[in-house]
Amino acid sequence: MKKIPSKPFLSMVFFFLSLKIWFIKVLVAQNTATIPVNVGVVLDFEFSGGNIGLTCINMALSDFYATHSDYKTRLVLTTRNSGNDVVGAAAAALDLIKFFEVQAIIGPTTSTQANFVIELGEKAQVPIISFSASSPSLTSIRSPFFFRATQNDSTQVNAISALVQAFGWREAVPIYIDNEYGEGVIPYLTDALQAVDARVPYRSVISPSATDDQIVSELYKLMTMQTRVFIVHMFPSLGARVFAKAKEIGMVSEGYVWIMTDGLTAEFLSSPNASVTSTMQGALGVKPYVPRTKDVETFRFRWKRKFQQDNPDIVDAELNIFGLWAYDAATALALAVEKAGTANLGFQKANDSSNSSTDLATLGVSLNGPNLVQALSNITFKGLTGDYLFDNGQLQSSAFQIINVNGNGGREIGFWTSTKGIVKTLNSANNMTASSGSNSDLSTIIWPGDTTSVPKGWEIPTNGKKLRIGVPVKNGFSEFVKVTRDPISNTKTVTGYSIDVFDSVVKALPYALPYEYIPFAKPDGETAGTYNDLIYQVYLKNFDAVVGDTTIVFNRSQYVDFTLPYTESGVSMIVPIVDSNSKNAWVFLRPLTWDLWVTSFCFFIFIGFVIWVLEHRINEDFRGPALHQAGTSFWFSFSTMVFAQREIVVSNLSRAVVIIWCFVVLILTQSYTASLTSLLTVQQLRPTVTDVHELIKKGAYVGYQEGSFVLGILLDLGFDESKLIVYNSTEQCDDFLSKGSGNGGIAAAFDEVPYMRLFLSKYCSKYAMIDPTFKTDGFGFAFPKGSPLVPDVSRAVLNMTEGDKMKEIENAWFGKQSNCPDSSTSVASNSLGLKSFWGLFLIAGVASLLALIIFMVMFVYKERKMLRPLNSRISIRSKVRNFFRIFIQRDLKSHTFRKSGLNDSNGTSLPGMGAPSPSASSVQTSYFPGDGDQSSTELVDYRPDRQTSQEVVINIDQLTNPYQERLAAFEVEHDHN
């Protein structure tokens, strides 16, 4: 078969292929129609940091548009070199805005340059994005056109202060560059250190143009100070010189602490140089933490290759955190430009009506600036450094990494976060628990001098000076401090209890502490002022410390720091004691307080009444005339004190009450006996006064030691100043107390407990120290505010007070006081109060009331027929009288009466008692005394079966049967009783 030609088919295929190629060219032409957007870059290209940043910016734009090829905008970079000069940076920014009409500027490098560039951006409404200007002072400009694409330096000060706190350092000296970059962070650093109780005693400022000799001179000045903790904040170029000179003069050695801020840490340790890192071995540094993700490591490898291509003359450059921020800043700007749109990319020219030829006068205003600012403020994405977003133009802070310089690089020892503080790792488990904030949360640190021992942070100054310690000069109480002068050599010797304590404390310190005592005296040897004046000399830096019998009080602590007290605390009162018991006829009343006496008497009466109620109806011992019954009841109750009661109680309720009451009486009498014995035998001497307010009320004269703060306490208590007498020795105080308040002396002496102990050691047989004690903190050693010596000396004092050394010193100066009674025992009150016995009285009272209630219930139930009235016309008064008439009768059914004579000798019932007659059983009688002059006796019938209620009058003479005669005789007897 002949084959059919296929030319028409081929032509059709060729046509469709051509059409497809045409569409592709059209689409490509449309895609390549992008809108260029001018962006300026102002960096310092004299240093590797500027070149590193530029390479990162170019790579960021290349990577961004490779993944966002559909975006219409393309950033076109115009770079300018600021030449590490403020004017150069301002001129470069002005040139870019005026002649290139850039929509934004990335840079400049330093905070000082940024200060001027931000003002230009504000005027032209051009956003300024800096990835390296970190000074907090730039925030104060408050320009909406400034975006800080780096960490604010103020965010790292808390990490640094946490390190200072973790190691217990009390002082730190910042060493910073004398420009806006250095000065901007110092206020924040000072506040952060003060928040952890660390002082900044000195600020070391070094000029950017300082010579090596000037740097060495400043470092030698630091060596003469006590502080050994230095925080370095400056440009890397100057920081390298400072560390080199510090290494030369021996300041990077054991005992020193060097902490670098993030600027130095990121620069020195990102691209370590052996010649630089060798001068800072053992230093600590903080830098923002960037997780080592796969994207970061890939970019680091790509950047290394790109940077070598762009800068073949720069070797060994390493990518740092500022390069990563530059990459993310360029990405954020590209996103914002696309989001803001391209409708208004032009500039509005300025109206130069004055025909001024200055560049600032003719500077235009960007029409797209506000839109771009809005877009940058709302940008969020995942960058190389983490989640990227701006909050009020500031990049969000992250965790900080703590680095220890070791070898030719840095070793990670821990982290700091704003929520957890110092932590060793940042894993999820660690983040769930709070940090203790101690150095145990860090890995082992190798400090300067190649040691792992934590430096204490301070040393004795190397200028060879000793600590100037002021001591008080006084006439009396020389056992504490005594200054003697040799008239021949004119030398002064200081001795005393306080001096020996301080000498022993210094010997216990783990280091040498040279010092000398300087008496606080005038040239003639007299005291130069009060204790407050002496303390103030430390605040004025005339003394380095004060040692003596100086009391720790609030107003003094405002000027100095005190160590822990080394003596007892408090202000007490000394009064004469007299033998008062042997001459007091009423001493037997003193063992019990008045309220206990009254309560005991009332309970004796109450218990007697209870026993009478319970025994009256069934016990012949509690019957008879009214006076006889009252006397018997009270006699029975009071005789229980000596357990001499003759009456026998027969009711079980009475027996229960008596058992409990005898127990109460036993404890009360035994306590009374013991207290009275103590009063008559042990305590022979008593103080003449026991209450401060009694002295004030009587207007008595009291004394206090000369120059003591006790004067203020006495005035606050209400003493009249005219009633206050000053003494200056134990002998003079004894003389005043012996005379008494009415004879030119005093009734009491007020002083601190250590002085009172010394006084009693000499005169313990004549005086006593009584409570209450006014609280103070005892004697302590005074040092300047924030002195690093305070914690070490306080620990040594605490160690001494817990050992035998303090007792040896006390015995050496004050002697053993074994022959003196304890003043607190001799004046303690021996009177027993109600508070000690109210529980016993409560038990007895409850038992008695319960017995009464049970008795009344049983009585009412038993006599319910006799107590139930059927005649409603009977008055309440008659009913009450009927109730008591029944109550005072004998209970003939009681076993006590059946045994005591109402039965015959054979035990058989008497006639009429065993089986009552019908008349006796059916008619219950109760007798009421007649009203007015009625001589007859009324008998009320309460039989429930009676239909009507009436009064029945029966004459006793008409009772004929034996039972009626006995009952009538009993009633007549009861009437007489």
Side-chain angles (χ1 to χ4, degrees):
M1 180 181 293
K2 189 177 179 178
K3 188 175 181 180
I4 300 175
S6 58
K7 289 182 180 181
F9 176 75
L10 293 175
S11 298
M12 187 177 295
V13 171
F14 178 76
F15 172 76
F16 282 110
L17 287 175
S18 300
L19 184 61
K20 182 177 181 180
I21 292 172
W22 181 80
F23 274 115
I24 291 175
K25 290 181 178 181
V26 172
L27 291 175
V28 170
Q30 291 180 350
N31 289 335
T32 56
T34 57
I35 301 173
V37 178
N38 293 329
V39 172
V41 178
V42 180
L43 299 173
D44 293 332
F45 295 117
E46 279 78 8
F47 303 99
S48 60
N51 295 286
I52 291 173
L54 182 60
T55 300
C56 292
I57 292 172
N58 288 325
M59 292 183 65
L61 297 180
S62 177
D63 294 343
F64 180 79
Y65 291 120
T67 57
H68 299 83
S69 59
D70 57 330
Y71 278 21
K72 295 181 179 181
T73 57
R74 294 292 186 271
L75 299 187
V76 179
L77 301 180
T78 302
T79 61
R80 288 291 184 270
N81 184 7
S82 63
N84 193 29
D85 181 67
V86 176
V87 178
L94 183 61
D95 179 69
L96 291 172
I97 294 173
K98 185 172 182 180
F99 298 104
F100 291 88
E101 295 186 347
V102 294
Q103 298 297 308
I105 294 178
I106 300 178
T109 304
T110 66
S111 300
T112 306
Q113 297 171 8
N115 202 356
F116 292 91
V117 175
I118 293 171
E119 296 292 346
L120 291 174
E122 175 80 15
K123 184 176 181 60
Q125 296 191 6
V126 173
I128 308 298
I129 306 173
S130 177
F131 57 86
S132 56
S134 56
S135 175
S137 61
L138 298 178
T139 306
S140 62
I141 299 176
R142 301 187 183 280
S143 173
F145 292 90
F146 173 61
F147 290 85
R148 194 200 305 270
T150 183
Q151 294 288 343
N152 191 326
D153 281 339
S154 62
T155 60
Q156 65 178 322
V157 297
N158 291 325
I160 295 174
S161 64
L163 281 174
V164 174
Q165 182 185 31
F167 293 101
W169 299 320
R170 299 295 302 275
E171 291 184 347
V173 172
I175 306 175
Y176 59 96
I177 189 171
D178 189 13
N179 60 16
E180 191 162 357
Y181 171 73
E183 296 172 352
V185 75
I186 295 303
Y188 298 92
L189 179 61
T190 303
D191 292 343
L193 291 174
Q194 290 179 350
V196 296
D197 295 329
R199 291 178 61 245
V200 179
Y202 179 73
R203 298 179 183 181
S204 179
V205 185
I206 298 179
S207 172
S209 58
T211 63
D212 289 348
D213 291 339
Q214 291 173 333
I215 294 175
V216 171
S217 176
E218 183 64 23
L219 292 176
Y220 272 125
K221 185 186 296 184
L222 296 177
M223 290 182 67
T224 62
M225 301 178 182
Q226 290 186 354
T227 308
R228 291 294 180 264
V229 180
F230 306 115
I231 302 172
V232 186
H233 179 69
M234 55 186 57
F235 292 153
S237 57
L238 182 60
R241 296 171 56 201
V242 170
F243 275 105
K245 294 304 176 183
K247 178 72 173 178
E248 289 180 10
I249 64 177
M251 293 184 67
V252 188
S253 58
E254 186 174 357
Y256 286 86
V257 179
W258 294 88
I259 302 176
M260 300 181 294
T261 57
D262 60 353
L264 294 177
T265 307
E267 180 66 23
F268 289 152
L269 302 183
S270 297
S271 54
N273 188 323
S275 62
V276 176
T277 55
S278 63
T279 63
M280 56 181 66
Q281 292 294 303
L284 299 179
V286 296
K287 68 175 185 179
Y289 172 66
V290 177
R292 293 184 177 179
T293 61
K294 184 178 180 180
D295 292 340
V296 173
E297 295 302 322
T298 302
F299 175 74
R300 191 182 300 275
F301 176 78
R302 292 172 47 233
W303 176 89
K304 185 72 174 179
R305 183 172 54 188
K306 174 66 175 173
F307 185 81
Q308 290 178 352
Q309 292 176 0
D310 297 341
N311 305 277
D313 55 335
I314 301 178
V315 295
D316 297 332
E318 292 292 338
L319 180 64
N320 54 29
I321 184 65
F322 296 104
L324 298 178
W325 279 327
Y327 183 94
D328 287 344
T331 303
L333 182 58
L335 281 169
V337 168
E338 180 68 22
K339 185 176 181 180
T342 59
N344 298 308
L345 294 181
F347 273 66
Q348 181 180 355
K349 299 300 181 181
N351 296 326
D352 188 11
S353 59
S354 61
N355 296 322
S356 175
S357 60
T358 60
D359 291 335
L360 291 178
T362 59
L363 193 65
V365 177
S366 174
L367 299 176
N368 196 42
N371 295 332
L372 190 55
V373 168
Q374 183 68 24
L376 280 169
S377 301
N378 297 325
I379 287 297
T380 58
F381 64 95
K382 186 74 173 180
L384 292 178
T385 56
D387 294 332
Y388 199 90
L389 72 156
F390 290 106
D391 183 11
N392 292 327
Q394 303 286 325
L395 194 64
Q396 293 298 292
S397 61
S398 60
F400 281 88
Q401 192 175 11
I402 304 174
I403 305 296
N404 180 212
V405 180
N406 187 245
N408 191 26
R411 183 170 57 90
E412 176 188 296
I413 60 173
F415 299 88
W416 179 89
T417 65
S418 58
T419 56
K420 302 300 180 183
I422 294 178
V423 293
K424 187 172 294 185
T425 59
L426 283 180
N427 54 42
S428 57
N430 201 349
N431 287 337
M432 293 301 292
T433 58
S435 168
S436 63
S438 65
N439 55 54
S440 61
D441 295 307
L442 296 171
S443 300
T444 302
I445 301 175
I446 300 177
W447 300 95
D450 197 24
T451 178
T452 57
S453 299
V454 178
K456 61 178 178 289
W458 69 275
E459 293 289 347
I460 299 301
T462 59
N463 55 10
K465 292 183 179 180
K466 297 180 180 180
L467 290 180
R468 294 169 50 86
I469 298 180
V471 294
V473 176
K474 55 193 305 183
N475 296 324
F477 295 94
S478 58
E479 289 84 355
F480 291 95
V481 178
K482 183 178 182 180
V483 179
T484 57
R485 185 177 64 89
D486 188 348
I488 300 176
S489 61
N490 200 28
T491 58
K492 297 180 179 179
T493 304
V494 183
T495 58
Y497 168 75
S498 300
I499 303 301
D500 286 355
V501 171
F502 185 76
D503 292 340
S504 300
V505 166
V506 172
K507 291 178 182 179
L509 295 176
Y511 46 83
L513 183 66
Y515 60 92
E516 60 179 343
Y517 294 116
I518 301 176
F520 185 54
K522 299 177 181 178
D524 58 358
E526 295 296 325
T527 180
T530 64
Y531 279 72
N532 290 337
D533 298 330
L534 175 59
I535 292 296
Y536 194 66
Q537 297 303 311
V538 178
Y539 178 77
L540 297 177
K541 301 188 183 301
N542 294 329
F543 289 134
D544 297 317
V546 168
V547 171
D549 48 348
T550 51
T551 307
I552 304 172
V553 292
F554 171 73
N555 64 322
R556 297 174 182 174
S557 65
Q558 293 179 314
Y559 301 97
V560 296
D561 281 347
F562 285 98
T563 63
L564 290 176
Y566 60 90
T567 62
E568 294 181 77
S569 62
V571 174
S572 192
M573 179 172 67
I574 291 290
V575 297
I577 51 179
V578 294
D579 186 1
S580 59
N581 290 344
S582 60
K583 301 177 181 179
N584 189 350
W586 304 99
V587 66
F588 67 91
L589 295 176
R590 287 178 52 191
L592 304 183
T593 59
W594 68 269
D595 55 347
L596 185 56
W597 278 114
V598 172
T599 303
S600 301
F601 180 78
C602 293
F603 259 83
F604 275 112
I605 296 177
F606 175 68
I607 294 298
F609 171 74
V610 171
I611 297 301
W612 176 81
V613 171
L614 299 178
E615 295 290 322
H616 175 70
R617 303 189 76 237
I618 60 176
N619 193 337
E620 287 291 344
D621 289 338
F622 291 89
R623 299 192 63 82
L627 293 178
H628 173 75
Q629 295 183 45
T632 302
S633 301
F634 293 151
W635 157 257
F636 178 85
S637 176
F638 283 97
S639 63
T640 55
M641 288 191 297
V642 291
F643 305 100
Q645 62 273 17
R646 295 175 301 173
E647 293 78 10
I648 299 176
V649 293
V650 296
S651 171
N652 289 331
L653 292 176
S654 301
R655 291 169 179 172
V657 172
V658 170
I659 290 174
I660 295 175
W661 177 241
C662 286
F663 177 73
V664 175
V665 170
L666 175 64
I667 295 178
L668 191 62
T669 54
Q670 292 296 325
S671 301
Y672 173 84
T673 303
S675 180
L676 182 61
T677 303
S678 175
L679 286 173
L680 297 178
T681 58
V682 177
Q683 184 177 347
Q684 299 295 331
L685 301 176
R686 289 195 55 82
T688 55
V689 179
T690 59
D691 189 6
V692 176
H693 300 286
E694 181 180 350
L695 293 172
I696 301 174
K697 184 177 180 180
K698 291 181 178 179
Y701 288 88
V702 297
Y704 68 95
Q705 188 181 166
E706 183 180 9
S708 175
F709 70 96
V710 175
L711 172 62
I713 295 179
L714 296 178
L715 294 177
D716 292 340
L717 287 173
F719 281 98
D720 189 350
E721 191 170 1
S722 62
K723 300 294 184 180
L724 302 180
I725 298 178
V726 179
Y727 62 85
N728 54 22
S729 65
T730 56
E731 293 76 13
Q732 189 177 14
C733 181
D734 173 54
D735 181 55
F736 284 148
L737 287 172
S738 300
K739 292 180 179 179
S741 178
N743 302 314
I746 57 177
F750 290 84
D751 216 330
E752 297 172 77
V753 171
Y755 297 122
M756 295 290 94
R757 295 290 185 189
L758 175 62
F759 181 83
L760 288 178
S761 67
K762 299 179 179 180
Y763 308 102
C764 61
S765 61
K766 300 170 60 179
Y767 307 102
M769 181 169 59
I770 67 173
D771 292 333
T773 299
F774 305 98
K775 297 300 181 182
T776 61
D777 286 336
F779 295 164
F781 306 124
F783 289 89
K785 276 285 188 179
S787 173
L789 281 171
V790 173
D792 292 343
V793 175
S794 295
R795 281 189 288 267
V797 168
L798 186 62
N799 186 38
M800 278 192 59
T801 55
E802 294 177 351
D804 297 331
K805 184 63 178 178
M806 188 68 75
K807 294 181 180 179
E808 295 177 4
I809 298 175
E810 289 177 355
N811 293 335
W813 285 101
F814 307 135
K816 296 183 178 180
Q817 304 180 24
S818 57
N819 296 329
C820 296
D822 186 0
S823 60
S824 62
T825 302
S826 63
V827 298
S829 175
N830 286 328
S831 298
L832 301 175
L834 180 60
K835 293 183 179 180
S836 302
F837 298 94
W838 71 269
L840 291 173
F841 286 116
L842 178 64
I843 294 174
V846 170
S848 301
L849 290 176
L850 185 62
L852 284 177
I853 294 173
I854 294 174
F855 170 79
M856 294 305 298
V857 171
M858 295 174 61
F859 171 74
V860 171
Y861 178 78
K862 185 177 181 180
E863 304 293 342
R864 61 187 181 280
K865 293 182 180 180
M866 296 292 293
L867 296 175
R868 183 184 303 142
L870 296 179
N871 189 353
S872 59
R873 292 177 299 173
I874 298 177
S875 65
I876 296 178
R877 179 181 178 185
S878 299
K879 294 178 182 179
V880 172
R881 294 172 63 186
N882 183 40
F883 172 84
F884 282 103
R885 179 60 64 94
I886 296 175
F887 169 74
I888 63 177
Q889 294 176 4
R890 287 184 177 87
D891 187 1
L892 299 180
K893 296 181 181 180
S894 172
H895 66 284
T896 57
F897 290 132
R898 290 200 301 267
K899 292 180 179 180
S900 59
L902 294 181
N903 296 344
D904 63 4
S905 59
N906 297 326
T908 58
S909 300
L910 292 172
M913 297 299 297
S917 64
S919 60
S921 61
S922 59
V923 180
Q924 301 293 332
T925 60
S926 179
Y927 297 90
F928 294 86
D931 296 333
D933 296 333
Q934 293 180 359
S935 60
S936 61
T937 303
E938 296 177 345
L939 180 63
V940 182
D941 191 354
Y942 289 106
R943 288 178 298 173
D945 55 346
R946 185 181 182 93
Q947 298 297 325
T948 61
S949 176
Q950 62 181 357
E951 296 182 358
V952 181
V953 180
I954 303 176
N955 292 327
I956 297 178
D957 297 339
Q958 296 176 350
L959 297 178
T960 57
N961 61 64
Y963 174 74
Q964 291 174 333
E965 292 177 354
R966 180 178 292 273
L967 183 59
F970 173 73
E971 296 299 336
V972 171
E973 177 187 357
H974 221 320
D975 289 340
H976 286 84
N977 292 337

